[in-house]
Amino acid sequence: MDTQALWLTLRLALTTTALLLAIALPVAWWIASGTGAARALVQAVVALPLVLPPTVLGFYLLVALGPLTAPGRLIIRLLGHPLAFSFSGLVVGSVLYSLPFAVQPLVAGFRAVDTALLEVAATLGASPARAFRTITLPLARPSLVTAAVLTFTHTVGEFGVVLMLGGNIPGATRTLSIALYDQVQDFNYAAANRTAALLLAFSLATLIVVYWRGAERRSVLG
Amino acid sequence: MGEMGGGILLPPNVRTLPPLRTELAVRLRHRVGALVIDVDFKLNERWAVLFGPSGSGKTTILKAIAGLLRPDEAHIACTVLTGSDLERTFVFVDTETGCFLPAYKRVVRLAPQQSALFPHLSIFENMMYGFHEMVRDEREKKARSNKIEKLLSDFQIAHLLDKYPAALSGGEAQRVNLARAVAATGCRLLMLDEPFSGLDVKLRDELIANLRERQEQRRMPVLSVTHDVAEAFQLGAEVIKIAEGKVVEQGPVEVVLAEERKRLLAQLGNSTSQNRDVERPI
């Protein structure tokens, strides 16, 4: 078992989840709070990673973050090294890659909150920020958990973006799914089997928890 | 007198003193689907009733006053007189100048027709929601919870304090819904959308008596919505009769709803105790 790859994968998934929730909360709130062309555009962009081959996203990021573009050169000057082929680069890629998995459950959760409750909150003197904090967020908590779990598991399972953007550097960018690929390339099927079984068990267990919680919630609410 | 004398130099706390007089001026034009609402009326610190059939635009008028919708054309302003020379006008909305005061800044409380209790908060927490400023002072906290307990016991729902909305019956939720709007700090206008529908007559009369007392103490205008003639008479209120989005008539209930009262009495037939029956239609 490649424990270095395991820890790297967990660290990447945790960092991505934390960052992505911070980004997805305001984006999802904005999308859910109205309609219009601007929101449709943002939703389409957010949903792109669902349909785009991960290698396409990885390729564009590789180019964008490299020395060929102005933002890429700026990053290189600021950090002293390119973002590509580093852990930070992987975080950027993962955040974009898992964006829909965080934003979409949150949008659905926020939209499910009865507007009558928010209207009452306003007539009781609650500012939109207070109403969001005290009404919308607590009522949308299950979708917050779903968004976090899906982001985490999706990041654990990502392959294409990591391969394009991160390469295969042990301790920096070599995640479990890359390690598995390496093990197969080396005809080390026993090791590959363990890695694959670990990833499968982890994904299945998380999904069972998500659906279980969902079913319990529904039965409580009738 | 000495205490009052200080009030000339230092204006009295606007929040704690009930106003001497409040006036709300509403001019509103708004289209909802096929219905065009076009109304112009004034309210004072008395209890006023918007009376009209369902679909005549009553709820939309309340929402426009509360700031829950952006009207096509409107001028809605509230003038509060707190001392002999302290008059303040709050413009809620003026489409000509583009002024729109958001709902949460209007200090207008609206109890919606469909009870909308916060499902994740206990009844006590629901009732506390209208007190925005956090207080750390224990005495002040105690005063608040006493106020809420008194209000809930007046509404005969004191036993619900620690329950959650899901455990309440429709009638109980309706009373919490009303009480929560009444409890909130400060109130330039209290609006109640069909507040007593579905409650039994005895309870309704008790609630009305209690609310009237509070309204007189706090000298705040109350605007309630009903299509029930008996309820309007029970309130003995100023009636604004609405039909298809227009004000048909405004005035004392005995005048404006005289026709409806006659029709109701005719329906009741040869009853001997007419007065009581007016309050108990059907």
Side-chain angles (χ1 to χ4, degrees):
Chain A
M1 174 61 53
D2 190 341
T3 46
Q4 197 182 33
L6 176 64
W7 288 123
L8 182 75
T9 306
L10 292 179
R11 195 154 66 95
L12 177 67
L14 275 176
T15 316
T16 305
T17 307
L19 267 177
L20 197 45
L21 281 185
I23 296 167
L25 272 176
V27 173
W29 179 78
W30 181 75
I31 292 174
S33 66
T35 50
R39 286 181 170 84
L41 176 72
V42 170
Q43 259 188 305
V45 171
V46 165
L48 260 185
L50 285 177
V51 292
L52 215 56
T55 42
V56 173
L57 183 66
F59 171 72
Y60 279 129
L61 278 172
L62 186 64
V63 175
L65 299 177
L68 292 175
T69 64
R73 283 194 291 275
L74 183 70
I75 289 167
I76 291 168
R77 186 157 351 131
L78 286 176
L79 296 179
H81 63 86
L83 262 186
F85 306 113
S86 73
F87 181 75
S88 323
L90 275 196
V91 171
V92 173
S94 305
V95 163
L96 289 175
Y97 183 52
S98 293
L99 201 56
F101 292 84
V103 172
Q104 290 189 349
L106 288 178
V107 170
F110 291 163
R111 282 206 176 128
V113 174
D114 190 354
T115 47
L117 297 179
L118 301 176
E119 288 184 352
V120 164
T123 61
L124 291 172
S127 65
R130 177 170 178 239
F132 180 73
R133 193 165 42 78
T134 55
I135 309 295
T136 309
L137 215 47
L139 288 176
R141 207 186 61 185
S143 26
L144 203 70
V145 174
T146 306
V149 171
L150 284 181
T151 304
F152 190 86
T153 37
H154 190 239
T155 308
V156 167
E158 84 181 65
F159 179 74
V161 176
V162 181
L163 195 65
M164 292 297 276
L165 191 63
N168 188 358
I169 304 164
T173 62
R174 190 174 133 121
T175 60
L176 269 188
S177 54
I178 303 280
L180 171 65
Y181 180 71
D182 272 1
Q183 286 155 353
V184 173
Q185 294 282 301
D186 293 344
F187 297 108
N188 188 352
Y189 276 63
N193 199 7
R194 284 194 295 273
T195 310
L198 180 70
L199 282 170
L200 175 69
F202 171 76
S203 306
L204 189 63
T206 344
L207 287 177
I208 288 172
V209 170
V210 168
Y211 284 114
W212 199 347
R213 276 182 51 103
E216 250 175 20
R217 222 188 130 68
R218 270 188 294 281
S219 67
V220 164
L221 294 175
Chain B
M1 267 335 267
E3 271 179 75
M4 291 306 286
I8 295 166
L9 294 170
L10 286 169
N13 190 335
V14 178
R15 275 193 198 145
T16 51
L17 274 187
L20 295 174
R21 197 167 58 78
T22 307
E23 192 182 84
L24 184 83
V26 180
R27 207 172 66 235
L28 171 72
R29 244 186 89 84
H30 188 71
R31 175 186 278 276
V32 196
L35 179 72
V36 177
I37 291 165
D38 190 353
V39 292
D40 190 346
F41 61 87
K42 280 192 169 64
L43 295 178
N44 52 33
E45 61 279 8
R46 289 191 58 192
W47 192 311
V49 172
L50 275 182
F51 179 90
S54 20
S56 55
K58 304 186 298 290
T59 299
T60 309
I61 295 171
L62 294 196
K63 284 196 162 189
I65 298 172
L68 299 177
L69 58 84
R70 282 187 181 266
D72 299 337
E73 275 173 56
H75 179 90
I76 301 174
C78 181
T79 305
V80 182
L81 186 74
T82 43
S84 52
D85 53 354
L86 269 175
E87 190 180 275
R88 287 193 68 184
T89 298
F90 305 92
V91 177
F92 288 169
V93 55
D94 187 347
T95 41
E96 261 173 47
T97 60
C99 156
F100 183 87
L101 195 65
Y104 74 99
K105 288 185 179 165
R106 294 190 183 189
V107 203
V108 166
R109 314 298 175 206
L110 168 62
Q113 187 182 357
Q114 300 287 333
S115 309
L117 305 184
F118 306 128
H120 59 301
L121 300 179
S122 72
I123 299 311
F124 180 73
E125 290 164 331
N126 262 279
M127 295 291 298
M128 286 293 282
Y129 200 84
F131 298 112
H132 349 261
E133 309 95 13
M134 293 287 291
V135 280
R136 297 195 190 285
D137 182 37
E138 283 303 317
R139 279 207 344 250
E140 179 65 16
K141 266 186 197 166
K142 189 75 193 140
R144 278 182 179 187
S145 67
N146 282 345
K147 192 178 158 191
I148 284 173
E149 277 167 32
K150 170 80 169 62
L151 185 59
L152 288 182
S153 76
D154 284 349
F155 280 34
Q156 299 173 24
I157 41 174
H159 56 289
L160 301 176
L161 205 62
D162 298 319
K163 292 215 164 80
Y164 279 81
L168 268 55
S169 73
E172 288 170 338
Q174 193 178 351
R175 276 176 277 164
V176 176
N177 188 52
L178 276 182
R180 186 179 54 181
V182 174
T185 346
C187 182
R188 287 183 197 135
L189 170 69
L190 177 65
M191 296 195 288
L192 312 170
D193 196 350
E194 309 227 358
F196 313 113
S197 61
L199 296 179
D200 73 66
V201 177
K202 185 170 166 290
L203 181 60
R204 185 192 77 187
D205 292 354
E206 283 172 20
L207 286 184
I208 288 177
N210 187 273
L211 282 169
R212 287 193 65 114
E213 201 178 301
R214 288 171 185 276
Q215 179 239 342
E216 276 161 25
Q217 274 170 13
R218 289 163 69 175
R219 290 200 205 96
M220 63 180 169
V222 177
L223 178 61
S224 69
V225 157
T226 187
H227 53 245
D228 186 328
V229 181
E231 187 182 307
F233 271 91
Q234 178 72 7
L235 290 167
E238 171 100 350
V239 172
I240 301 164
K241 193 168 155 189
I242 306 274
E244 287 170 22
K246 313 276 183 300
V247 176
V248 184
E249 208 179 338
Q250 177 172 3
V253 61
E254 298 83 6
V255 179
V256 177
L257 296 183
E259 276 300 306
E260 280 81 356
R261 185 171 191 262
K262 224 179 281 171
R263 216 177 304 140
L264 194 67
L265 288 174
Q267 272 174 15
L268 290 165
N270 48 1
S271 171
T272 43
S273 57
Q274 289 189 345
N275 273 332
R276 199 56 210 156
D277 281 328
V278 168
E279 290 160 22
R280 289 177 195 273
I282 301 136

